[in-house]
Amino acid sequence: MAVVRETSLPGVGVKHDFQTEDGREVGVLVHRDGRRDIVMYDADDPDRCSARMTFSPADTRTLGELLGTSRVTEAVGAVQQEIEGLAIEWITVEPGSPAVDHTIGDGMYRTQTGSSIVAVLRNETPIPAPGPEFGLLVHDVIVAVGTVEGLASMRALIEPA
C-alpha cells in the first residue's frame, strides 16, 4: 500500500497525497463541510493540478463503496480478527424506529443486548462515546460493539417493526 502524506490546511480541511504504482501523484482534499476534491497532479510539474473533481459527502460514500474497502475498515477487520468474538455494527435509525426521539438510556441497549453504543454519526458528524442521556434522531447512524448475537439483538430493538 502506498504511503499517504497528510497536510493540515487551516480553515479548509486536510489534504492527503500519495503516489500511484505508475508514479502519478494523486491528492484528496477533505473539506471541513464533508466535500472531497480528488486531484491529479501534472506528470511534468507535480506542483500543478492537471485534473480535479469535487464530490459531495453522499457521492464520496458511493465512490468509496465502488472502490472497495477503506483503510479504516481494513484496520477494524484486523482488530476483529485479533479479538475473537468482537464485532462492530453500523445501525441507521430509520423513520418509525422505536429509538427515534428517545435517549440511549431509555432504550437500555447495553442491558438488553450486552452490546455498547460507542459512537453516533449525525449529519456526517461523529459523536464519540455518547452517554445515556444522548437522544437519537431519524437518520443517526449508531456505531455499536459487541458479540454478533448481541448486535443482532440491538438491531432488532432499533429497526422499525
Side-chain angles (χ1 to χ4, degrees):
M1 184 182 310
V3 173
V4 177
R5 298 173 307 277
E6 183 176 297
T7 306
S8 180
L9 302 173
V12 177
V14 178
K15 183 176 74 159
H16 305 274
D17 294 304
F18 70 97
Q19 189 173 57
T20 64
E21 288 184 6
D22 67 354
R24 296 288 309 264
E25 287 289 325
V26 176
V28 177
L29 176 57
V30 180
H31 293 267
R32 297 174 85 189
D33 65 1
R35 288 177 298 124
R36 307 285 201 275
D37 290 339
I38 297 178
V39 297
M40 296 284 298
Y41 297 102
D42 188 283
D44 296 324
D45 182 0
D47 292 327
R48 195 178 92 175
C49 177
S50 62
R52 182 180 125 215
M53 290 186 71
T54 300
F55 294 90
S56 70
D59 291 340
T60 300
R61 284 191 302 278
T62 300
L63 183 60
E65 287 293 323
L66 292 172
L67 292 174
T69 307
S70 74
R71 293 173 76 178
V72 172
T73 302
E74 289 173 5
V76 167
V79 169
Q80 286 176 320
Q81 291 173 1
E82 291 175 21
I83 304 172
E84 190 172 327
L86 175 68
I88 297 175
E89 182 85 19
W90 285 261
I91 305 168
T92 300
V93 179
E94 301 289 349
S97 165
V100 173
D101 295 328
H102 291 281
T103 67
I104 292 171
D106 291 340
M108 298 178 58
Y109 301 112
R110 187 173 29 194
T111 302
Q112 293 188 65
T113 69
S115 298
S116 297
I117 296 174
V118 297
V120 173
L121 301 175
R122 179 172 287 161
N123 299 320
E124 311 279 333
T125 302
I127 301 162
E133 72 289 344
F134 185 85
L136 297 168
L137 303 175
V138 171
H139 304 302
D140 280 352
V141 178
I142 294 169
V143 181
V145 175
T147 64
V148 171
E149 298 81 16
L151 292 170
S153 295
M154 183 179 289
R155 180 175 287 284
L157 291 172
I158 293 169
E159 288 182 338

